[in-house]
Amino acid sequence: MTVASILKQKPDRLISVSESASLADVAAVLTRENIGAVPVLAANGEMIGIISERDIVRQIAREGSGVLSRTVSSMMTKSVVCCAPEDSVASTMALMTERRFRHLPVRSNGRIVGMISIGDVVKRRVEDAEREAESLRDYIVRG
Ligand code: AMP
């Protein structure tokens, strides 16, 4: 199973924020869209970072709620790790576990075509395991 099969089941729109958005803006987007992270795009559409709810919580814990008016570009993670549509779901799970983040932008031909989360990956792996168990059951019953 590939990342492309996960993207097929998700709405075909990329939620992102611009580099000039404030942390309060990002918190509002994460809440409204019920997601945990967003890619940060420059004016030319290029992805220049990623910011997750964890970054916002950490920053507030360190410096207080005043940071909410600061721009996202001062707080995002700039070296973003991406995956590709043809990557296996198992490899993205291993990558997220090893690097300790829960979100991966999906890049194809230099363009971000979607985002997957650890939740999407775990859901897909459970569905695959259930399907495999079902076929084994059928095979045993039918002989
Ligand atoms: P998360 O577990 O996704 O909430 O993110 C934990 C930390 O990793 C935060 O500092 C994020 O900005 C960062 N992060 C999340 N996803 C990625 C990614 N794909 N590449 C690089 N850093 C990331």
Side-chain angles (χ1 to χ4, degrees):
M1 279 295 165
T2 62
V3 167
S5 72
I6 295 181
L7 287 186
K8 233 182 266 167
Q9 293 182 334
K10 293 175 66 122
D12 192 18
R13 93 191 156 102
L14 180 69
I15 300 158
S16 62
V17 293
S18 79
E19 61 186 320
S20 58
S22 68
L23 275 204
D25 295 332
V26 177
V29 170
L30 297 180
T31 304
R32 186 183 69 226
E33 304 289 348
N34 201 21
I35 53 176
V38 275
V40 181
L41 306 187
N44 63 4
E46 190 197 332
M47 182 178 64
I48 53 167
I50 187 165
I51 183 145
S52 90
E53 54 200 357
R54 197 167 282 188
D55 297 313
I56 300 176
V57 169
R58 279 184 194 146
Q59 218 50 46
I60 291 174
R62 282 186 197 125
E63 297 182 47
S65 59
V67 295
L68 287 170
S69 58
R70 299 242 296 264
T71 58
V72 65
S73 50
S74 59
M75 252 151 273
M76 64 193 186
T77 301
K78 290 182 179 146
S79 58
V80 185
V81 178
C82 296
C83 63
E86 55 276 12
D87 288 346
S88 72
V89 174
S91 73
T92 60
M93 191 172 193
L95 183 62
M96 286 195 243
T97 306
E98 186 194 319
R99 302 293 295 268
R100 294 179 182 272
F101 45 61
R102 298 164 295 172
H103 302 89
L104 272 179
V106 186
R107 195 197 293 271
S108 178
N109 299 321
R111 209 168 58 85
I112 303 302
V113 294
M115 281 275 282
I116 60 169
S117 73
I118 191 74
D120 298 323
V121 169
V122 169
K123 179 169 172 277
R124 172 41 61 96
R125 297 222 69 191
V126 169
E127 284 167 3
D128 290 349
E130 282 170 352
R131 208 170 301 122
E132 200 179 319
E134 187 69 29
S135 343
L136 280 175
R137 255 196 307 275
D138 275 2
Y139 176 75
I140 292 164
V141 171
R142 291 195 192 135

